[in-house]
Amino acid sequence: MKAIISKIFARKKKYEDFDFSLIKSVLLRPIGAGLGDAVILTAVLKQLKEAYPNIKTGVLAVKRNEIVFRNNPFVDKVIKDNFIGYFSNRGKWQIFIDYIPSFTTRNIIFDFILKPKYTISFQKKEKKYYNINTIQNIDYYIPDLARTHLSKSLELTPLKPYIKTANPEYSLPEIPKECEEKAKKLLHKEKANVVLSPSGTDRKINPEEIREILKSAFEGKEDQVNLIIPFTRDSTEYISVLRDLLPSQTPPLSTEEFFALIKNADMIISVDSAAVHIACAYRKGLLAFYSGWERNFKLFAPLKADNAIAIQSEISASAPVKEIKALPVEKAVASIRKLLHNKI
């Protein structure tokens, strides 16, 4: 069945001499549903708008990440990633940039329905029936996405001559006033407000190790720090370990309230997760912990800035949530003190 699907739905006329100087519309399909991935791709959308001021930009979004793109100044249209979304946009997009890391029957059929003029696709996982040899609906294929940071991914495409990616910047929609006010109630005006985001979808920081780091970094100045842990499935575990640091666990927050909390804090300490890229978008002081997987770090590292420090550490093999371990305590403590040097 998959062999038949690839022959019927994964075929299109390829354009050898496409004129990239006269682009009118570009549609993006994000690498996944994650908020962090979505935040990074706002830099790509900004680059497109700057290179082609009159271009129409669109994003295929799901419920989880559409908040990043909706009302974003660099996104003209947010399309639901479902049958109706693809069908209603059939033949309406000139360039389709696909970041999804794997061929699937669903997307092969949906891409056939979408019928873009020119398709650019990034690295796909090779499968028996779905691979770069059997799928013939791609005009330009980039076999290794990790050659650069995701925010600079257009450097790998035929759009490179028209795009400036030297200093990518993220862009987030304006936060509703009521969300901003709720977040500010969690902060302390007379203290350094530090947001601890120690866990993500599939990885987390070892609670005992982050406790050792925070104890050393705040020693003698505990009363000057307001440590805030957003409510998550793992937050209770960290509260129990960090009780002597009197962390403040928030009530459940909406995505916009979470954005507002990071926006108004003084510093963020986070595992490799959406919080890292939200902090970068707001140019907040950031200490981010990454696993030792080099490809992951190259693609999703924090944007380079004086107030963003990233540390790569070991990671356990436990599943489904991997635990970042063996944190370099002295380096982490020094980084926190550097980022808070005017606050405590």
Side-chain angles (χ1 to χ4, degrees):
M1 179 60 73
K2 290 184 177 180
I4 294 173
I5 288 172
S6 65
K7 288 181 180 180
I8 296 175
F9 296 102
R11 296 288 185 273
K12 71 179 287 294
K13 176 184 176 181
K14 292 192 176 183
Y15 289 84
E16 302 295 338
D17 299 313
F18 194 90
D19 188 353
F20 291 96
S21 67
L22 299 173
I23 297 175
K24 295 181 179 180
S25 62
V26 177
L27 177 66
L28 268 60
R29 181 160 61 197
I31 198 169
L35 282 176
D37 302 336
V39 173
I40 296 176
L41 286 181
T42 63
V44 172
L45 292 156
K46 184 174 187 289
Q47 290 159 24
L48 287 168
K49 280 289 190 181
E50 290 174 344
Y52 306 95
N54 298 318
I55 199 173
K56 178 182 178 182
T57 57
V59 180
L60 286 161
V62 295
K63 184 176 180 180
R64 184 179 177 192
N65 64 15
E66 70 174 343
I67 193 170
V68 174
F69 303 117
R70 198 168 297 283
N71 299 319
N72 191 295
F74 303 106
V75 182
D76 295 308
K77 189 171 184 180
V78 178
I79 302 165
K80 289 190 179 300
D81 192 345
N82 58 27
F83 174 80
I84 294 175
Y86 284 82
F87 184 77
S88 62
N89 281 271
R90 181 173 174 80
K92 295 182 179 180
W93 294 92
Q94 194 176 21
I95 294 182
F96 177 45
I97 303 180
D98 179 22
Y99 287 91
I100 291 288
S102 181
F103 292 116
T104 67
T105 297
R106 174 190 186 274
N107 286 339
I108 289 170
I109 295 175
F110 279 8
D111 293 355
F112 176 83
I113 294 170
L114 184 66
K115 197 181 178 181
K117 190 170 186 179
Y118 191 97
T119 297
I120 297 172
S121 184
F122 288 94
Q123 182 178 0
K124 295 278 194 284
K125 181 180 179 181
E126 294 281 298
K127 299 178 179 179
K128 181 178 180 180
Y129 293 105
Y130 297 157
N131 54 65
I132 196 59
N133 294 316
T134 61
I135 304 302
Q136 298 295 311
N137 61 358
I138 299 170
D139 296 279
Y140 193 91
Y141 182 68
I142 299 96
D144 184 11
L145 176 56
R147 283 159 53 193
T148 188
H149 193 272
L150 184 60
S151 66
K152 298 182 178 182
S153 55
L154 293 181
E155 288 183 350
L156 307 177
T157 75
L159 294 166
K160 180 179 179 179
Y162 309 93
I163 301 293
K164 295 180 181 179
T165 61
N167 298 297
E169 295 180 343
Y170 302 152
S171 172
L172 294 178
E174 186 175 348
I175 298 171
K177 184 177 180 181
E178 60 271 19
C179 296
E180 194 100 35
E181 291 175 348
K182 183 174 179 179
K184 286 181 178 179
K185 290 179 180 179
L186 301 170
L187 306 178
H188 197 294
K189 293 182 180 180
E190 307 299 327
K191 296 184 179 183
N193 293 287
V194 178
V195 174
L196 177 62
S197 183
S199 62
T201 303
D202 61 355
R203 57 182 61 86
K204 65 180 183 178
I205 304 173
N206 179 283
E208 293 293 342
E209 293 198 37
I210 195 64
R211 179 182 184 279
E212 182 181 358
I213 288 170
L214 296 177
K215 284 283 287 183
S216 298
F218 302 150
E219 186 177 10
K221 298 183 178 181
E222 291 87 350
D223 60 341
Q224 299 178 39
V225 178
N226 179 34
L227 185 63
I228 307 164
I229 301 181
F231 179 88
T232 66
R233 65 185 180 190
D234 301 312
S235 55
T236 302
E237 176 184 3
Y238 288 92
I239 288 289
S240 63
V241 174
L242 298 168
R243 191 173 300 279
D244 56 333
L245 293 175
L246 300 177
S248 171
Q249 181 180 14
T250 72
L253 301 175
S254 69
T255 301
E256 291 170 310
E257 289 163 355
F258 183 58
F259 285 6
L261 179 63
I262 291 178
K263 177 185 176 182
N264 289 282
D266 295 300
M267 179 186 172
I268 316 301
I269 301 174
S270 179
V271 70
D272 170 18
S273 67
V276 168
H277 308 295
I278 298 167
C280 289
Y282 292 125
R283 300 179 183 178
K284 309 305 295 187
L286 169 69
L287 175 59
F289 293 98
Y290 281 69
S291 68
W293 188 29
E294 191 60 35
R295 182 180 185 277
N296 186 60
F297 184 74
K298 190 164 188 177
L299 272 174
F300 305 112
L303 288 185
K304 292 183 178 180
D306 292 338
N307 64 339
I309 300 171
I311 296 177
Q312 290 178 270
S313 304
E314 296 176 9
I315 190 167
S316 71
S318 60
V321 178
K322 297 177 177 62
E323 192 172 86
I324 294 179
K325 305 176 71 175
L327 304 181
V329 175
E330 291 184 2
K331 183 176 180 179
V333 169
S335 298
I336 292 172
R337 289 176 176 171
K338 176 184 177 181
L339 293 167
L340 289 177
H341 72 282
N342 289 327
K343 299 293 180 180
I344 61 174

